[in-house]
Amino acid sequence: MAKQERAIRTRQAIVEAAGAVFDEHGYTSTTIAMVLERSDVTKGALYFHFPSKEALAQAVLNEQVPFGIVPPQACKLQEIVDMTFVVGQRLLTSSLLRGSIRLAVDQEAPSRIDHGGPFRQWSERLEELLELARERGELLPTVQPRQTVELLVGCFSGIQLMSRALSGRADLGERLSVLWAHILPSIAVPGLLPALDTRADRGVRVLASPERVAS
Amino acid sequence: MAKQERAIRTRQAIVEAAGAVFDEHGYTSTTIAMVLERSDVTKGALYFHFPSKEALAQAVLNEQVPFGIVPPQACKLQEIVDMTFVVGQRLLTSSLLRGSIRLAVDQEAPSRIDHGGPFRQWSERLEELLELARERGELLPTVQPRQTVELLVGCFSGIQLMSRALSGRADLGERLSVLWAHILPSIAVPGLLPALDTRADRGVRVLASPERVAS
């Protein structure tokens, strides 16, 4: 294994461990020693990549958007729908993703950390897709992409929060399905609506499909 | 002042102080001593009403729904819209409300505390109003009130969160206006839509109106 590749793997192992510890303990109670123990790397390696707890938290926060990678679809609105269901599904299995979302949502992390980062990153990624959807004639002419994507990001944040509080996220797929049923008629041209798949188990099915993109 | 009335005022002073301290410091860092200092009541009075930090947090969590009190409207959907804008506006001025929302959203409060309480209480209150809206013929026949109100509560939670992270909640009214523009066409009968006021400053105007209900 080349030196650079090893460094990338070590860094990723640290970020994964930090995400899991932040998920379980939150920012304040997490210590670098806890991350060190979880990640099974040397103290020197950890401090080489991350000089502080703040740097660890910032790295974990920046890891969210790759969890939204989904197989490309001819219909770009379907791709956006798929992103929400896939992120919802991955929340159940990835402690890094849960840790990242906890850091973005909890107020306890110090204000030096950019809590807004993930909100902006998701909005930018979704806006690219929504602009593609517009070019392909999928959107109603009234749609203002920036407003709509920021609404989606805000709604997703709160829906996963409520689902966590009420069902440990078990009903997140159902709640996302309800969101899309209410919002799509204000976004998509009517002819597209019957073809869009927004059933609660969409995330499970996308992740099980053979052409799924590895994450 | 009767003894009972004094007790109620003392209790309210403690809850207000606790809300402010939880808002600023979160659950873990808050101590009863901090609440005591802020509330200007005696230690004996505080422990008489609240034997523990947990009891204080639970009381603060239960204080959210009264912030949604708005003047009655002939159109019940308008009343629901008004609740969201008024709560958004009151978030700017009430540290008790901010503290209560922080406790519901942050994962750091121990799991013995019922994080789901405010989500359920808002949903119940909104469901009553949405059932009235249905009786008055305001709703599309496809609306399932429980699903719609839980969606609204989830979306509101996330939108205020995103607004806090990106603008210190300065743009919350704008974001709520975008939410309603996307969701109302899936809820209200079409004839009602032009009459519903969902402009960003709705909360300010409702709170300034002479018939507003004191809170």
Side-chain angles (χ1 to χ4, degrees):
Chain A
M1 189 156 55
K3 200 173 167 188
Q4 198 190 352
E5 195 188 330
R6 205 157 50 222
I8 291 171
R9 288 199 187 188
T10 301
R11 188 185 184 283
Q12 192 55 30
I14 298 166
V15 172
E16 294 274 351
V21 178
F22 284 129
D23 172 39
E24 285 167 36
H25 302 280
Y27 186 84
T28 311
S29 307
T30 290
T31 64
I32 292 194
M34 286 156 81
V35 176
L36 201 56
E37 194 181 349
R38 183 82 60 115
S39 65
D40 208 22
V41 304
T42 66
K43 198 168 177 173
L46 192 146
Y47 277 99
F48 171 76
H49 288 285
F50 302 102
S52 66
K53 182 163 86 167
E54 234 173 275
L56 277 171
Q58 201 59 66
V60 168
L61 275 169
N62 289 337
E63 287 286 323
Q64 261 178 54
V65 175
F67 284 97
I69 294 174
V70 292
Q73 302 286 337
C75 171
K76 291 297 145 186
L77 271 180
Q78 183 67 59
E79 223 174 296
I80 292 175
V81 168
D82 288 355
M83 276 177 70
T84 61
F85 281 104
V86 160
V87 173
Q89 191 58 28
R90 283 178 171 149
L91 265 169
L92 300 176
T93 54
S94 169
S95 52
L96 170 56
L97 179 57
R98 285 196 300 272
S100 184
I101 287 191
R102 177 167 182 179
L103 286 177
V105 164
D106 277 13
Q107 283 178 58
E108 59 164 328
S111 54
R112 292 182 302 278
I113 288 177
D114 179 18
H115 289 78
F119 292 107
R120 276 191 294 270
Q121 290 160 17
W122 283 116
S123 297
E124 281 160 23
R125 177 71 193 111
L126 284 170
E127 196 175 1
E128 290 166 20
L129 281 171
L130 204 61
E131 289 292 354
L132 284 177
R134 178 194 289 294
E135 286 168 23
R136 296 179 186 205
E138 295 172 18
L139 305 189
L140 294 172
T142 45
V143 172
Q144 299 186 43
R146 190 71 197 184
Q147 281 191 352
T148 297
V149 299
E150 294 207 356
L151 175 68
L152 288 172
V153 173
C155 292
F156 182 92
S157 311
I159 289 170
Q160 67 82 27
L161 201 70
M162 186 163 171
S163 173
R164 189 197 74 209
L166 294 181
S167 76
R169 294 202 179 92
D171 64 9
L172 184 48
E174 296 288 346
R175 290 181 187 276
L176 290 173
S177 187
V178 171
L179 170 69
W180 286 115
H182 281 77
I183 276 188
L184 275 176
S186 297
I187 303 177
V189 292
L192 209 59
L193 293 175
L196 290 167
D197 181 354
T198 61
R199 278 173 292 158
D201 65 343
R202 176 72 188 168
V204 181
R205 284 181 288 113
V206 170
L207 288 172
S209 68
E211 79 276 26
R212 85 181 175 88
V213 178
S215 79
Chain B
M1 190 156 56
K3 198 172 167 189
Q4 197 188 354
E5 194 188 332
R6 204 156 50 220
I8 291 172
R9 286 199 188 190
T10 300
R11 188 185 183 283
Q12 192 56 29
I14 298 166
V15 171
E16 294 274 351
V21 177
F22 284 130
D23 173 39
E24 286 167 37
H25 301 280
Y27 186 83
T28 310
S29 307
T30 291
T31 63
I32 292 195
M34 287 156 82
V35 176
L36 201 56
E37 195 180 348
R38 182 83 61 115
S39 65
D40 208 23
V41 304
T42 66
K43 198 167 176 172
L46 193 146
Y47 278 100
F48 171 75
H49 288 284
F50 302 103
S52 66
K53 181 162 86 166
E54 233 173 276
L56 276 171
Q58 201 59 65
V60 168
L61 275 169
N62 289 337
E63 286 285 323
Q64 263 179 52
V65 175
F67 284 96
I69 295 174
V70 292
Q73 301 287 337
C75 171
K76 292 296 145 187
L77 271 178
Q78 183 68 58
E79 221 173 297
I80 292 176
V81 167
D82 289 355
M83 276 177 71
T84 61
F85 281 103
V86 160
V87 173
Q89 192 57 28
R90 284 178 170 148
L91 265 169
L92 300 176
T93 54
S94 168
S95 53
L96 170 56
L97 179 56
R98 285 196 300 272
S100 184
I101 288 192
R102 177 166 182 180
L103 286 177
V105 165
D106 277 13
Q107 283 178 59
E108 59 164 329
S111 54
R112 291 181 303 277
I113 288 177
D114 179 18
H115 289 78
F119 292 107
R120 276 190 294 269
Q121 290 160 15
W122 283 116
S123 298
E124 281 160 22
R125 176 70 192 110
L126 284 170
E127 196 175 1
E128 290 166 19
L129 281 171
L130 205 61
E131 290 291 356
L132 284 177
R134 179 194 289 293
E135 285 168 23
R136 295 178 187 206
E138 296 172 17
L139 305 189
L140 293 172
T142 45
V143 173
Q144 299 186 41
R146 189 72 196 182
Q147 282 192 350
T148 298
V149 299
E150 294 208 354
L151 175 68
L152 288 172
V153 173
C155 292
F156 182 91
S157 311
I159 288 169
Q160 68 83 26
L161 201 68
M162 186 164 170
S163 174
R164 189 197 73 211
L166 294 182
S167 77
R169 293 202 179 95
D171 64 9
L172 184 49
E174 296 288 345
R175 290 181 187 276
L176 290 173
S177 186
V178 171
L179 170 69
W180 285 115
H182 281 78
I183 277 188
L184 274 175
S186 297
I187 302 177
V189 292
L192 209 58
L193 292 175
L196 290 167
D197 181 355
T198 61
R199 278 173 293 158
D201 65 343
R202 176 70 187 170
V204 181
R205 285 181 287 115
V206 170
L207 288 173
S209 68
E211 78 275 25
R212 85 179 176 88
V213 177
S215 79

